[in-house]
Amino acid sequence: QQQVKQSPQSLIVQKGGISIINCAYENTAFDYFPWYQQFPGKGPALLIAIRPDVSEKKEGRFTISFNKSAKQFSLHIMDSQPGDSATYFCAGEGAGSYQLTFGKGTKLSVIP
Amino acid sequence: GAGVSQTPSNKVTEKGKYVELRCDPISGHTALYWYRQSLGQGPEFLIYFQGTGAADDSGLPNDRFFAVRPEGSVSTLKIQRTERGDSAVYLCASSLYVGASGYNEQFFGPGTRLTVL
């Protein structure tokens, strides 16, 4: 059972554009939703995270939008740069579980 | 400071052999996690240690997989009788422990790429 569904699988965005990646979760016990960024040959690195008591969180060019009733959340990257080209993973974690359940990832390519 | 380190970075072995993968967590991090990442997939949870004990090993796929953390720092993931389907990147992560009510960022290492021929 895939508990976190992520789309699109790949995304090509022009430099300066907005990148949007969507995730939907099934496990209602999840109450922590991080986004990780992974470059080739590297481990995932935390980008931004949100708890479901807020609908939006912004850090610099990165924003998470969260819709608890729809069990969906999304990552928006404003003013996308070639250096943002990486694979992005959404994830969910339940209180006390310590397990991150990841989506399948989105490969983002930002072209000049 | 130093991040999570994993050795070896690459391991090629033959079907049926035994392998050990090592993880050195960030100093002071009491929680340690192992994940497996297959090609084109997100990491999948294998096991979580709090200190020396395995607090949650529900992700280990079968009894060929075993992990230890004898002194509460370095951890070793052990795979017996390797199969071609075990080929993947094995990621280790560590975090500070804040208890059941909190969340801590999991810091990932670069992984060990295991190839079983």
Side-chain angles (χ1 to χ4, degrees):
Chain A
Q1 180 187 11
Q2 185 185 351
Q3 295 195 47
V4 180
K5 294 184 180 180
Q6 184 172 347
S7 63
Q9 188 174 5
S10 62
L11 182 61
I12 300 174
V13 173
Q14 204 84 27
K15 179 183 174 183
I18 303 173
S19 304
I20 302 174
I21 304 170
N22 300 298
C23 283
Y25 64 97
E26 300 171 1
N27 190 339
T28 55
F30 288 163
D31 61 356
Y32 173 67
F33 301 89
W35 284 90
Y36 278 80
Q37 179 188 56
Q38 186 175 31
F39 293 103
K42 305 291 186 183
L46 180 67
L47 193 61
I48 186 173
I50 196 168
R51 298 286 299 273
D53 52 348
V54 297
S55 60
E56 185 175 283
K57 183 175 181 180
K58 182 176 181 179
E59 291 183 0
R61 296 185 294 110
F62 301 92
T63 299
I64 300 178
S65 297
F66 188 86
N67 185 329
K68 187 174 182 178
S69 61
K71 294 190 288 185
Q72 295 176 345
F73 57 110
S74 61
L75 175 69
H76 295 230
I77 306 174
M78 312 299 287
D79 186 25
S80 299
Q81 299 296 312
D84 296 331
S85 297
T87 300
Y88 293 80
F89 294 94
C90 60
E93 181 178 331
S97 84
Y98 307 106
Q99 296 184 26
L100 286 170
T101 299
F102 286 87
K104 289 190 174 184
T106 296
K107 185 175 181 181
L108 172 64
S109 299
V110 181
I111 56 177
Chain B
V4 177
S5 62
Q6 293 186 246
T7 53
S9 56
N10 282 284
K11 176 71 177 178
V12 180
T13 191
E14 294 180 343
K15 180 175 177 293
K17 298 289 189 182
Y18 168 83
V19 296
E20 289 189 352
L21 312 179
R22 176 188 168 108
C23 172
D24 282 83
I26 293 172
S27 178
H29 281 191
T30 59
L32 186 146
Y33 317 78
W34 284 97
Y35 290 82
R36 178 168 69 175
Q37 186 173 23
S38 300
L39 192 63
Q41 303 293 316
E44 291 180 293
F45 171 82
L46 295 176
I47 187 169
Y48 155 64
F49 287 90
Q50 181 52 49
T52 60
D56 181 356
D57 65 357
S58 62
L60 294 178
N62 52 60
D63 61 5
R64 295 186 298 105
F65 289 75
F66 189 71
V68 296
R69 194 185 185 200
E71 298 179 355
S73 178
V74 170
S75 177
T76 304
L77 179 65
K78 308 180 180 193
I79 310 174
Q80 299 178 322
R81 304 183 304 279
T82 52
E83 300 178 355
R84 293 192 180 88
D86 298 335
S87 296
V89 174
Y90 289 82
L91 294 164
C92 176
S94 70
S95 73
L96 293 168
Y97 176 72
V98 289
S101 63
Y103 300 89
N104 263 326
E105 177 180 354
Q106 294 186 25
F107 293 82
F108 283 82
T112 293
R113 181 174 297 278
L114 175 66
T115 303
V116 182
L117 301 177

